[in-house]
Short mmCIF file of all heavy atoms in Angstrom, two decimals:
data_model
loop_
_atom_site.label_atom_id
_atom_site.label_comp_id
_atom_site.label_asym_id
_atom_site.label_seq_id
_atom_site.Cartn_x
_atom_site.Cartn_y
_atom_site.Cartn_z
N PRO A 35 -37.34 -8.39 -7.52
CA PRO A 35 -36.32 -7.66 -8.27
C PRO A 35 -34.90 -8.01 -7.86
O PRO A 35 -33.97 -7.83 -8.66
CB PRO A 35 -36.64 -6.19 -7.95
CG PRO A 35 -37.44 -6.20 -6.70
CD PRO A 35 -38.16 -7.52 -6.66
N GLY A 36 -34.68 -8.50 -6.62
CA GLY A 36 -33.32 -8.84 -6.21
C GLY A 36 -32.58 -7.66 -5.60
O GLY A 36 -31.45 -7.80 -5.17
N TRP A 37 -33.15 -6.49 -5.60
CA TRP A 37 -32.57 -5.33 -4.92
C TRP A 37 -33.71 -4.42 -4.53
O TRP A 37 -34.86 -4.68 -4.86
CB TRP A 37 -31.57 -4.61 -5.84
CG TRP A 37 -32.15 -4.18 -7.15
CD1 TRP A 37 -33.08 -3.22 -7.36
CD2 TRP A 37 -31.87 -4.72 -8.44
NE1 TRP A 37 -33.38 -3.10 -8.68
CE2 TRP A 37 -32.64 -4.01 -9.38
CE3 TRP A 37 -31.01 -5.73 -8.90
CZ2 TRP A 37 -32.60 -4.28 -10.74
CZ3 TRP A 37 -30.98 -5.98 -10.26
CH2 TRP A 37 -31.75 -5.26 -11.16
N LEU A 38 -33.38 -3.33 -3.85
CA LEU A 38 -34.41 -2.41 -3.40
C LEU A 38 -34.91 -1.63 -4.62
O LEU A 38 -34.17 -0.84 -5.21
CB LEU A 38 -33.80 -1.47 -2.36
CG LEU A 38 -34.74 -0.76 -1.41
CD1 LEU A 38 -35.66 -1.75 -0.69
CD2 LEU A 38 -33.92 0.04 -0.40
N ALA A 39 -36.13 -1.89 -4.98
CA ALA A 39 -36.67 -1.23 -6.18
C ALA A 39 -38.12 -0.90 -5.90
O ALA A 39 -38.74 -1.43 -4.98
CB ALA A 39 -36.57 -2.17 -7.38
N ASP A 40 -38.67 0.02 -6.71
CA ASP A 40 -40.09 0.30 -6.55
C ASP A 40 -40.86 -0.24 -7.75
O ASP A 40 -40.28 -0.77 -8.70
CB ASP A 40 -40.32 1.79 -6.33
CG ASP A 40 -39.97 2.64 -7.54
OD1 ASP A 40 -39.88 2.09 -8.65
OD2 ASP A 40 -39.80 3.86 -7.36
N ARG A 41 -42.16 -0.09 -7.69
CA ARG A 41 -42.99 -0.70 -8.72
C ARG A 41 -42.85 -0.01 -10.07
O ARG A 41 -43.42 -0.45 -11.06
CB ARG A 41 -44.45 -0.71 -8.28
CG ARG A 41 -44.99 0.69 -8.05
CD ARG A 41 -46.36 0.68 -7.46
NE ARG A 41 -46.54 1.84 -6.61
CZ ARG A 41 -47.66 2.52 -6.49
NH1 ARG A 41 -48.73 2.12 -7.14
NH2 ARG A 41 -47.73 3.55 -5.70
N HIS A 42 -42.12 1.13 -10.10
CA HIS A 42 -41.89 1.81 -11.37
C HIS A 42 -40.52 1.44 -11.94
O HIS A 42 -40.06 2.06 -12.90
CB HIS A 42 -41.98 3.33 -11.17
CG HIS A 42 -43.25 3.73 -10.49
ND1 HIS A 42 -44.47 3.66 -11.12
CD2 HIS A 42 -43.49 4.14 -9.23
CE1 HIS A 42 -45.42 4.03 -10.27
NE2 HIS A 42 -44.84 4.32 -9.12
N GLY A 43 -39.87 0.48 -11.29
CA GLY A 43 -38.59 -0.02 -11.82
C GLY A 43 -37.40 0.82 -11.41
O GLY A 43 -36.30 0.62 -11.91
N ARG A 44 -37.59 1.79 -10.48
CA ARG A 44 -36.44 2.59 -10.04
C ARG A 44 -35.66 1.79 -9.00
O ARG A 44 -36.23 1.26 -8.05
CB ARG A 44 -36.90 3.93 -9.45
CG ARG A 44 -37.47 4.85 -10.49
CD ARG A 44 -38.11 6.08 -9.88
NE ARG A 44 -39.24 5.77 -9.03
CZ ARG A 44 -40.13 6.65 -8.60
NH1 ARG A 44 -40.01 7.91 -8.94
NH2 ARG A 44 -41.13 6.28 -7.83
N HIS A 45 -34.36 1.72 -9.20
CA HIS A 45 -33.47 0.98 -8.32
C HIS A 45 -33.00 1.95 -7.23
O HIS A 45 -32.35 2.96 -7.53
CB HIS A 45 -32.30 0.47 -9.17
CG HIS A 45 -31.30 -0.33 -8.44
ND1 HIS A 45 -30.24 -0.93 -9.06
CD2 HIS A 45 -31.18 -0.64 -7.14
CE1 HIS A 45 -29.51 -1.57 -8.17
NE2 HIS A 45 -30.06 -1.40 -6.99
N LEU A 46 -33.34 1.67 -5.98
CA LEU A 46 -33.08 2.64 -4.90
C LEU A 46 -31.75 2.31 -4.24
O LEU A 46 -31.63 1.30 -3.55
CB LEU A 46 -34.24 2.60 -3.90
CG LEU A 46 -35.63 2.72 -4.55
CD1 LEU A 46 -36.73 2.52 -3.53
CD2 LEU A 46 -35.79 4.05 -5.27
N ARG A 47 -30.76 3.16 -4.48
CA ARG A 47 -29.40 2.84 -4.02
C ARG A 47 -28.81 3.90 -3.12
O ARG A 47 -27.67 3.80 -2.71
CB ARG A 47 -28.47 2.76 -5.24
CG ARG A 47 -28.73 1.63 -6.13
CD ARG A 47 -27.73 1.65 -7.24
NE ARG A 47 -28.22 2.47 -8.32
CZ ARG A 47 -27.97 2.23 -9.59
NH1 ARG A 47 -27.21 1.22 -9.91
NH2 ARG A 47 -28.46 3.01 -10.52
N TYR A 48 -29.56 4.97 -2.91
CA TYR A 48 -28.98 6.16 -2.28
C TYR A 48 -29.83 6.51 -1.07
O TYR A 48 -31.04 6.71 -1.20
CB TYR A 48 -29.01 7.26 -3.34
CG TYR A 48 -28.60 8.64 -2.91
CD1 TYR A 48 -27.60 9.33 -3.58
CD2 TYR A 48 -29.25 9.31 -1.87
CE1 TYR A 48 -27.25 10.62 -3.23
CE2 TYR A 48 -28.90 10.58 -1.51
CZ TYR A 48 -27.91 11.22 -2.20
OH TYR A 48 -27.56 12.50 -1.85
N LEU A 94 -29.79 -4.65 1.14
CA LEU A 94 -30.81 -4.45 0.09
C LEU A 94 -30.22 -3.68 -1.11
O LEU A 94 -30.95 -3.28 -2.01
CB LEU A 94 -32.00 -3.68 0.66
CG LEU A 94 -32.83 -4.45 1.70
CD1 LEU A 94 -33.82 -3.52 2.40
CD2 LEU A 94 -33.57 -5.61 1.06
N GLY A 95 -28.92 -3.45 -1.09
CA GLY A 95 -28.26 -2.86 -2.26
C GLY A 95 -27.96 -1.38 -2.17
O GLY A 95 -27.49 -0.79 -3.15
N VAL A 96 -28.19 -0.75 -1.01
CA VAL A 96 -27.85 0.68 -0.90
C VAL A 96 -26.32 0.85 -0.92
O VAL A 96 -25.60 0.15 -0.22
CB VAL A 96 -28.47 1.30 0.37
CG1 VAL A 96 -27.83 2.64 0.72
CG2 VAL A 96 -29.98 1.49 0.14
N GLU A 97 -25.85 1.80 -1.76
CA GLU A 97 -24.40 1.96 -1.96
C GLU A 97 -23.87 3.31 -1.48
O GLU A 97 -22.67 3.47 -1.29
CB GLU A 97 -24.08 1.88 -3.47
CG GLU A 97 -24.40 0.51 -4.06
CD GLU A 97 -24.57 0.56 -5.58
OE1 GLU A 97 -24.59 1.67 -6.16
OE2 GLU A 97 -24.71 -0.52 -6.17
N SER A 262 -26.80 10.23 -14.83
CA SER A 262 -27.71 9.28 -14.19
C SER A 262 -27.20 8.86 -12.81
O SER A 262 -27.97 8.54 -11.92
CB SER A 262 -27.87 8.04 -15.07
OG SER A 262 -26.59 7.47 -15.29
N HIS A 292 -38.64 10.84 -12.04
CA HIS A 292 -38.37 9.62 -12.80
C HIS A 292 -36.93 9.17 -12.63
O HIS A 292 -36.60 8.02 -12.89
CB HIS A 292 -38.73 9.79 -14.28
CG HIS A 292 -37.95 10.90 -14.93
ND1 HIS A 292 -38.24 12.23 -14.72
CD2 HIS A 292 -36.90 10.88 -15.77
CE1 HIS A 292 -37.38 12.97 -15.41
NE2 HIS A 292 -36.57 12.18 -16.04
N ARG A 293 -36.04 10.10 -12.19
CA ARG A 293 -34.64 9.72 -11.98
C ARG A 293 -34.36 9.43 -10.51
O ARG A 293 -33.22 9.19 -10.14
CB ARG A 293 -33.71 10.87 -12.41
CG ARG A 293 -33.67 11.14 -13.88
CD ARG A 293 -32.58 12.16 -14.21
NE ARG A 293 -32.87 13.48 -13.66
CZ ARG A 293 -33.61 14.39 -14.25
NH1 ARG A 293 -34.15 14.15 -15.42
NH2 ARG A 293 -33.82 15.57 -13.69
N CYS A 294 -35.40 9.46 -9.68
CA CYS A 294 -35.16 9.39 -8.23
C CYS A 294 -34.72 7.99 -7.81
O CYS A 294 -35.40 7.01 -8.07
CB CYS A 294 -36.43 9.77 -7.48
SG CYS A 294 -36.22 9.71 -5.69
N ASN A 295 -33.56 7.91 -7.14
CA ASN A 295 -33.09 6.61 -6.63
C ASN A 295 -32.92 6.68 -5.11
O ASN A 295 -32.11 5.99 -4.54
CB ASN A 295 -31.77 6.23 -7.31
CG ASN A 295 -30.64 7.20 -6.97
OD1 ASN A 295 -30.88 8.23 -6.34
ND2 ASN A 295 -29.44 6.87 -7.36
N ARG A 296 -33.71 7.57 -4.48
CA ARG A 296 -33.44 7.91 -3.08
C ARG A 296 -34.43 7.36 -2.08
O ARG A 296 -35.61 7.21 -2.38
CB ARG A 296 -33.46 9.42 -2.92
CG ARG A 296 -32.35 10.00 -3.66
CD ARG A 296 -32.45 11.47 -3.82
NE ARG A 296 -31.28 11.80 -4.60
CZ ARG A 296 -30.60 12.89 -4.49
NH1 ARG A 296 -30.99 13.81 -3.65
NH2 ARG A 296 -29.53 13.08 -5.20
N VAL A 297 -33.89 7.17 -0.90
CA VAL A 297 -34.67 6.77 0.25
C VAL A 297 -34.24 7.72 1.37
O VAL A 297 -33.07 8.10 1.43
CB VAL A 297 -34.29 5.34 0.69
CG1 VAL A 297 -35.07 4.92 1.89
CG2 VAL A 297 -34.44 4.37 -0.46
N LYS A 341 -43.46 3.17 -3.54
CA LYS A 341 -43.08 4.58 -3.76
C LYS A 341 -43.81 5.10 -5.00
O LYS A 341 -43.79 4.48 -6.04
CB LYS A 341 -41.56 4.63 -3.97
CG LYS A 341 -40.93 5.98 -4.14
CD LYS A 341 -39.40 5.77 -4.13
CE LYS A 341 -38.62 6.86 -4.82
NZ LYS A 341 -38.35 8.04 -4.05
#
Side-chain angles (χ1 to χ4, degrees):
W37 56 69
L38 201 53
D40 67 18
R41 61 187 149 144
H42 308 289
R44 290 171 298 195
H45 181 176
L46 310 174
R47 292 182 272 213
Y48 174 125
L94 293 169
V96 164
E97 296 160 353
S262 58
H292 59 285
R293 291 188 294 274
C294 180
N295 65 352
R296 294 167 181 214
V297 180
K341 184 172 157 82

